[in-house]
Amino acid sequence: MIIFPRFTMFRAFAATLFLYLSAVQAHAQDRFWVQIEAHPTLNEATERAQVYARRFDDVEGYYLGRGFYGIVLGPYSENLARQELARLLRDRQIPSDSYLQNGRRFEQQFWPIGGSAPGLRDGSAADDAPALELSALPQVPLTAPPETLREARASEAALLRTEREELQKALQWAGFYDAAIDGAFGRGTRRAMEAWQLAYAQEPTGVLTARQREQLLLQYNAVLTDVDMQLVRDTEAGVQMQVPTAVVAFSGYQPPFARFDGQSSLPTAQVLFISQPGDAGRLSGLFEVLQVLDLMPTEGPRQLRGDSFFIEGIDNERHSFATASLQDGEIKGFVLVWPAEDNRRRARILDVMQSSFEPIDGILDPNLVPPSEDQAIDMVSGLAVRQPKLSRSGFYVSDDGVVVTTPEAIAGCSRITLDRQTDAEVIGTDLDLGVAILRPLSPLSPLGVATFQSDIPRLQDQVAVAGYPFNGVLTAPTLTFGTLEDIRDLQGDNRRKRLSVPTQDSNAGGPVLDNSGAVLGMLLPKKAAAQTLPGDVQFSLDAPLIANLLQELGITPTQTAAAPAISSVALSRKAADVAVLVSCW
């Protein structure tokens, strides 16, 4: 049962005209960085930035929001950033969990001290970062009396520590403060107060009057009024937390989630309460599952530590955050999905959600919702699993995981994966032959590597195509048997062999094997033609041509002469070890 006690903290300002200008991007969208570390304090982040600056000449540091300070390398163009990330990971010069960052989360720069961001490392000039855009002050009658500077100091001295910390948080949210939230008004806080006063055309004393403090806090809290934050108590899930009820509404239970879906005012927003019985193993499983859901973008920091985790995902459409912890055999937490480019509102709402989150009695029954016709293998608890734009087959050709596939598998991709898990980069293509060569971006040791057949095969010999005929729906490759019909294609081109074997589009790029398990070639995609061919007519590219291309790239393929046939079981096992699913995202 969901209970909505009235949240009246900001009701006095419900009629306030609030103009929200979303946080400005600190950098142009064509710039990318390699994020290597993030720390919860400015001092720690600055010390680590100094260490890295002794090794690299492109170290930068930015406040990332939510109390974290990030250390990055860059900026680069996107292609160069991916190459640098791969190189530095391969050489073990940076932490293994480093990732690409597009700069949308960057706020104040703290490193280099007093420095400005350099231009792109690919030689192109970057646009100057635009000036900070300001949220308007709420136009409401103020209750605090006017004060002189002396009176302002006196009223400030009477503030409680929690009130002083709240002012620092408000200055931080407004973009003027980037140091610790400690309630101590040192030089950093004074400079932030002075900058806020200057920004809003008030005398820059560095001491906020009671009226100015009231304006700042009204500005800070207007976001919560705008989205109608209310305390939601869910006795089924055993969770209570403040939720932006103007933009999301309860839509039902899909264990382990209680779902609050976006409304017409902000349809892409979403809140999930997490509630399930479990242990450390189930917490780890939940951590992995959340990262494959469509609502959680792949780029962003994430950490599983002990009995808790957090995941943050950012892309062009959404900025998502998830957290959960294990206590007394219960896993509870929440997920917030918010539109990208709305960072100030998201940060303020997330801060309130985190501080108000409280586990209460109750745990969501895994059997609360019976199975229905809506079940699907690409859904988890009613939420869509992230799906690639296209999937094709491929096969391993070296012990370090180099893969041969079709160029169809890499066209227009922002990301390429092997078996949906390992990111890969393109290291070579031959569009005339119809071959693409990929290398994994992280260490990979395949179970098997293709052995290329160097002899001319006999017509009508049995062949087998290994691949993923249903776009990766099946978790293991399928072996489809057929025959070699001709050692040339229909136009007489001896670079391609004609086969009789039934295949699907996503089989393209997979290996064509003889009855000994050696690779005769690579299955080519079906091409549209004026003349419709029978469904079992396929073509494969000759193995020696692929071997030559690999040698040009410095990769030595394994080759063999004709060998005795092996059993169908052994052939299937060999094909499964060599074949790989190639996905374009």
Side-chain angles (χ1 to χ4, degrees):
M1 181 175 64
I2 303 292
I3 304 170
F4 292 87
R6 298 305 297 166
F7 181 67
T8 59
M9 184 175 179
F10 306 106
R11 283 287 176 263
F13 311 112
T16 298
L17 172 63
F18 172 69
L19 173 62
Y20 174 78
L21 300 175
S22 46
V24 69
Q25 303 249 352
H27 300 273
Q29 291 187 7
D30 59 350
R31 292 200 270 182
F32 285 78
W33 289 257
V34 175
Q35 181 161 328
I36 50 181
E37 288 188 12
H39 298 278
T41 68
L42 179 60
N43 286 342
E44 187 178 3
T46 302
E47 290 175 1
R48 293 296 296 161
Q50 289 173 330
V51 172
Y52 279 109
R54 299 188 191 109
R55 297 164 49 197
F56 304 105
D57 61 1
D58 53 0
V59 177
E60 296 180 1
Y62 295 92
Y63 179 65
L64 305 177
R66 206 171 52 78
F68 278 90
Y69 300 83
I71 303 170
V72 298
L73 303 178
Y76 313 102
S77 65
E78 182 176 4
N79 286 338
L80 186 57
R82 294 187 182 278
Q83 293 172 16
E84 282 295 288
L85 175 63
R87 181 182 69 82
L88 294 170
L89 286 173
R90 184 176 63 246
D91 296 342
R92 298 184 178 180
Q93 296 188 58
I94 57 176
S96 60
D97 57 354
S98 300
Y99 62 95
L100 289 192
Q101 171 72 272
N102 58 20
R104 290 187 178 84
R105 300 179 61 218
F106 293 173
E107 298 182 19
Q108 293 88 356
Q109 184 175 358
F110 68 85
W111 185 272
I113 298 173
S116 59
L120 286 173
R121 261 89 178 164
D122 66 353
S124 60
D127 296 333
D128 292 333
L132 178 70
E133 294 185 17
L134 302 173
S135 295
L137 294 176
Q139 303 301 304
V140 296
L142 301 175
T143 59
E147 291 179 329
T148 64
L149 179 57
R150 182 177 180 180
E151 290 169 334
R153 287 196 176 103
S155 63
E156 179 187 88
L159 295 175
L160 299 174
R161 176 170 178 166
T162 54
E163 293 173 320
R164 297 163 74 90
E165 290 175 349
E166 191 75 359
L167 287 170
Q168 287 178 325
K169 290 178 182 178
L171 288 167
Q172 186 182 74
W173 173 84
F176 297 98
Y177 182 66
D178 63 358
I181 306 299
D182 55 10
F185 287 0
R187 274 187 278 183
T189 306
R190 295 298 178 199
R191 283 196 297 267
M193 290 178 175
E194 182 178 346
W196 184 89
Q197 289 169 325
L198 282 169
Y200 291 99
Q202 304 192 43
E203 185 181 358
T205 65
V207 179
L208 297 181
T209 66
R211 185 174 287 239
Q212 289 168 346
R213 296 195 299 267
E214 185 179 358
Q215 285 181 307
L216 173 60
L217 291 175
L218 281 171
Q219 181 189 43
Y220 180 50
N221 290 322
V223 169
L224 307 182
T225 304
D226 184 49
V227 298
D228 195 14
M229 293 295 287
Q230 291 194 42
L231 185 66
V232 175
R233 183 180 178 87
D234 187 337
T235 56
E236 291 282 356
V239 170
Q240 74 173 21
M241 182 176 65
Q242 289 179 23
V243 171
T245 60
V247 293
V248 297
F250 179 71
S251 60
Y253 294 110
Q254 290 280 354
F257 306 119
R259 293 182 53 172
F260 297 76
D261 291 336
Q263 302 304 290
S264 57
S265 60
L266 205 63
T268 55
Q270 191 172 34
V271 171
L272 306 174
F273 288 177
I274 299 172
S275 175
Q276 68 175 63
D279 52 21
R282 295 195 70 179
L283 182 73
S284 177
L286 178 64
F287 177 73
E288 298 297 334
V289 165
L290 283 171
Q291 295 182 72
V292 303
L293 296 181
D294 189 51
L295 59 78
M296 185 61 67
T298 57
E299 292 190 4
R302 48 209 66 198
Q303 185 178 77
L304 172 64
R305 178 178 292 176
D307 59 358
S308 66
F309 69 73
F310 82 87
I311 307 168
E312 192 162 6
I314 311 106
D315 63 15
N316 293 331
E317 298 179 2
R318 57 175 71 90
H319 190 155
S320 302
F321 177 83
T323 184
S325 60
L326 170 65
Q327 187 174 1
D328 298 329
E330 296 181 349
I331 298 170
K332 293 185 179 180
F334 72 90
V335 178
L336 172 66
V337 181
W338 202 258
E341 319 302 345
D342 193 3
N343 287 327
R344 283 196 188 169
R345 276 209 302 180
R346 183 201 59 81
R348 184 72 182 102
I349 291 163
L350 179 59
D351 181 59
V352 172
M353 291 175 68
Q354 286 181 294
S355 61
S356 66
F357 177 83
E358 181 182 353
I360 59 176
D361 289 340
I363 191 75
L364 206 55
D365 182 357
N367 301 312
L368 180 65
V369 179
S372 70
E373 294 295 329
D374 295 331
Q375 295 181 96
I377 62 170
D378 57 355
M379 304 281 283
V380 173
S381 299
L383 300 171
V385 173
R386 190 182 306 110
Q387 295 294 317
K389 294 192 298 185
L390 174 143
S391 289
R392 292 293 182 262
S393 302
F395 55 100
Y396 292 111
V397 293
S398 73
D399 290 331
D400 59 352
V402 172
V403 167
V404 168
T405 188
T406 168
E408 271 193 353
I410 63 170
C413 308
S414 60
R415 179 181 175 224
I416 302 167
T417 60
L418 307 178
D419 284 338
R420 303 279 175 91
Q421 295 179 342
T422 304
D423 286 349
E425 63 178 343
V426 180
I427 61 172
T429 56
D430 188 321
L431 296 180
D432 180 49
L433 291 178
V435 181
I437 313 297
L438 311 179
R439 187 190 302 277
L441 290 176
S442 56
L444 178 63
S445 297
L447 294 174
V449 173
T451 298
F452 289 94
Q453 169 64 269
S454 57
D455 291 345
I456 298 175
R458 188 185 305 276
L459 294 184
Q460 298 302 312
D461 274 358
Q462 184 187 62
V463 296
V465 174
Y468 293 81
F470 303 106
N471 294 297
V473 170
L474 301 177
T475 57
T478 298
L479 200 60
T480 306
F481 291 93
T483 57
L484 173 65
E485 295 294 325
D486 200 340
I487 58 173
R488 300 171 182 82
D489 67 11
L490 294 175
Q491 286 75 41
D493 189 340
N494 60 8
R495 298 179 303 174
R496 299 174 179 86
K497 294 179 172 60
R498 177 163 61 90
L499 315 174
S500 174
V501 57
T503 63
Q504 303 290 329
D505 289 344
S506 54
N507 277 117
V512 178
L513 309 169
D514 66 10
N515 56 15
S516 73
V519 173
L520 293 173
M522 182 194 76
L523 186 71
L524 294 168
K526 298 177 182 179
K527 292 186 178 180
Q531 186 177 14
T532 302
L533 299 175
D536 63 345
V537 175
Q538 310 296 338
F539 300 93
S540 70
L541 180 68
D542 270 359
L545 297 172
I546 302 172
N548 291 339
L549 180 58
L550 291 171
Q551 289 172 340
E552 290 174 7
L553 293 171
I555 301 165
T556 303
T558 303
Q559 301 190 62
T560 185
I566 59 177
S567 70
S568 58
V569 173
L571 182 61
S572 296
R573 187 181 301 115
K574 196 167 190 177
D577 291 345
V578 168
V580 60
L581 178 67
V582 181
S583 298
C584 171
W585 303 81

